[in-house]
Amino acid sequence: MKDQSRKRHIAKAITWRVVGTIDTILLSWLISGNPLTGLKIGFTEVLTKMVLYYFHERVWFKINLTKDGKLLESRKRHIGKTITWRMIGTLDTMLLAWWISGNPLTGMKIGVAELFTKMIFYYIHERIWHRSRFGLTAHNVNEI
């Protein structure tokens, strides 16, 4: 079970990072006015976000949120995951954008813009992965 779920979480981390990096590059370019700044912020995030996302997935996989002895409905769980991930992701983006651009206001603007775009994209990503059985065994399919 552990090996299968880890494969799934690594695959989810990679697919989400592709979507997230494209969004970050475009937003950073639009806000900073500099395509090179957008690329620097986007590609720096690849490493930090993949590590952070993997651990976020592992924590949520181990959390057993129950209501009356039953696992919470998946949409509520995905909303909870969306909110916690966005908090982590936005803080990371803001700090990296500030560091790379040298301007704390640029970091704040990019972070605020991402609050909206990334929450929408992340929810869609979670729903797609919820329908996928990649990396799941019969035992842990029922846990999701």
Side-chain angles (χ1 to χ4, degrees), residues 3 9 16 26 34 38 53-54 60 76 78 85 88 92 101 108 121 124 131 140-141:
D3 291 334
H9 298 154
W16 172 246
L26 293 175
N34 184 338
Y53 185 84
Y54 175 80
W60 272 94
K76 291 178 185 175
H78 294 157
W85 172 247
I88 293 166
D92 183 54
S101 72
M108 293 282 286
F121 291 142
I124 293 167
R131 293 180 185 185
N140 60 13
V141 165

Side-chain angles (χ1 to χ4, degrees), residues 60-77:
W60 272 94
F61 186 72
K62 292 177 187 248
I63 291 175
N64 185 17
L65 298 174
T66 60
K67 184 176 182 180
D68 301 328
K70 296 180 182 177
L71 197 61
L72 284 177
E73 195 268 325
S74 67
R75 290 183 196 275
K76 291 178 185 175
R77 185 173 176 86

Side-chain angles (χ1 to χ4, degrees), residues 7-139:
K7 289 177 187 176
R8 178 180 179 85
H9 298 154
I10 289 168
K12 281 180 75 175
I14 291 167
T15 58
W16 172 246
R17 197 62 258 139
V18 168
V19 171
T21 298
I22 291 168
D23 182 54
T24 298
I25 290 169
L26 293 175
L27 284 174
S28 298
W29 176 3
L30 288 171
I31 291 168
S32 72
N34 184 338
L36 187 57
T37 299
L39 289 170
K40 285 179 182 177
I41 294 168
F43 287 122
T44 302
E45 276 193 345
V46 169
L47 297 176
T48 60
K49 292 280 193 320
M50 284 193 56
V51 170
L52 291 170
Y53 185 84
Y54 175 80
F55 286 112
H56 182 260
E57 278 296 305
R58 296 304 300 161
V59 167
W60 272 94
F61 186 72
K62 292 177 187 248
I63 291 175
N64 185 17
L65 298 174
T66 60
K67 184 176 182 180
D68 301 328
K70 296 180 182 177
L71 197 61
L72 284 177
E73 195 268 325
S74 67
R75 290 183 196 275
K76 291 178 185 175
R77 185 173 176 86
H78 294 157
I79 289 170
K81 285 179 72 176
T82 299
I83 291 167
T84 57
W85 172 247
R86 195 63 261 138
M87 289 168 39
I88 293 166
T90 297
L91 182 60
D92 183 54
T93 298
M94 291 167 85
L95 293 173
L96 286 173
W98 176 5
W99 176 60
I100 290 168
S101 72
N103 184 340
L105 187 57
T106 298
M108 293 282 286
K109 286 179 182 178
I110 293 168
V112 170
E114 278 194 354
L115 277 173
F116 300 102
T117 59
K118 291 270 190 341
M119 283 182 69
I120 293 165
F121 291 142
Y122 185 82
Y123 181 80
I124 293 167
H125 181 261
E126 279 296 304
R127 295 305 299 161
I128 291 168
W129 272 98
H130 179 68
R131 293 180 185 185
S132 168
R133 295 298 172 234
F134 175 80
L136 294 176
T137 61
H139 174 74

